[in-house]
Amino acid sequence: DAEITQSPRHKITETGRQVTLACHQTWNHNNMFWYRQDLGHGLRLIHYSYGVQDTNKGEVSDGYSVSRSNTEDLPLTLESAASSQTSVYFCASSESRDPIYGYTFGSGTRLTVV
Amino acid sequence: QKEVEQDPGPLSVPEGAIVSLNCTYSNSAFQYFMWYRQYSRKGPELLMYTYSSGNKEDGRFTAQVDKSSKYISLFIRDSQPSDSATYLCALSEVQGAQKLVFGQGTRLTINP
């Protein structure tokens, strides 16, 4: 069965370190998204991609970067981790730009920056 | 002002009750309205969608959109303990990218 997987599920890192969160989908979806979820803010868009070599900034992109070298993967990199980036990170993918098809989400990565 | 406002709750009701969950929004360009359900420590999953104003029913769930008031609702009839989850509204504009804007989510508990 097709799926979208995130790794690791939990990560503790130190302030200033570079961290990469993995997202891999086997749906063959062109569209992929990274969100962070925080109490009081809900889900906020970090970066998104509509295909290989395409990346775009979302609402809260400062301090984050992504690259899309193939259809299946969209890794999220925190260049220099900060305590404000402690959050739960969700990757999602979608088949179509038509919003009625919705997103398929991974199970999330809980990141703690100490 | 946030584009989408949703009361985070928590909301606790007895089994069998009718539940009403709501979101308000400020961007009149939103045309697609969705509800996602998120169980604890899981990613959200699409529950229902509606396009423009009106009602849509799917089993025990009814989604309602009032574009004139910029107000959307999700009703759950005969609520079950398995409905206990966080419910997020998500909105999208018609043109261009399929970028969803999410509400904060309302945490719902159905008590047996």
Side-chain angles (χ1 to χ4, degrees), chain A residues 31 50 54 94-100, chain B residues 92 94 96-98:
Chain A
N31 309 315
Y50 292 136
D54 176 77
S94 68
E95 175 182 8
S96 168
R97 294 196 187 189
D98 188 338
I100 68 170
Chain B
S92 179
V94 175
Q98 193 224 58

Side-chain angles (χ1 to χ4, degrees), chain A residues 50-70:
Chain A
Y50 292 136
V52 176
Q53 303 300 333
D54 176 77
T55 61
N56 305 279
K57 294 182 179 180
E59 175 189 359
V60 290
S61 61
D62 287 349
Y64 303 94
S65 64
V66 294
S67 62
R68 187 89 180 270
S69 59
N70 58 53

Side-chain angles (χ1 to χ4, degrees), chain A residues 53-93:
Chain A
Q53 303 300 333
D54 176 77
T55 61
N56 305 279
K57 294 182 179 180
E59 175 189 359
V60 290
S61 61
D62 287 349
Y64 303 94
S65 64
V66 294
S67 62
R68 187 89 180 270
S69 59
N70 58 53
T71 300
E72 296 80 17
D73 299 288
L74 187 69
L76 177 71
T77 297
L78 286 69
E79 304 294 344
S80 177
S83 57
S84 59
Q85 294 177 308
T86 292
S87 185
V88 181
Y89 291 85
F90 286 99
C91 178
S93 69

Side-chain angles (χ1 to χ4, degrees), chain A residues 16 19 21 36 38 45-46 48 57 80-81 83 92 94 100:
Chain A
V19 177
L21 309 183
R36 59 178 289 176
D38 305 284
L45 182 64
I46 304 171
Y48 59 101
K57 294 182 179 180
S80 177
S83 57
S94 68
I100 68 170

Side-chain angles (χ1 to χ4, degrees), chain B residues 10 24-26 67 76 85 95 99 102:
Chain B
T24 59
Y25 62 95
S26 58
K67 291 189 68 181
I76 307 174
Q95 298 297 328
K99 281 189 303 175
F102 287 85

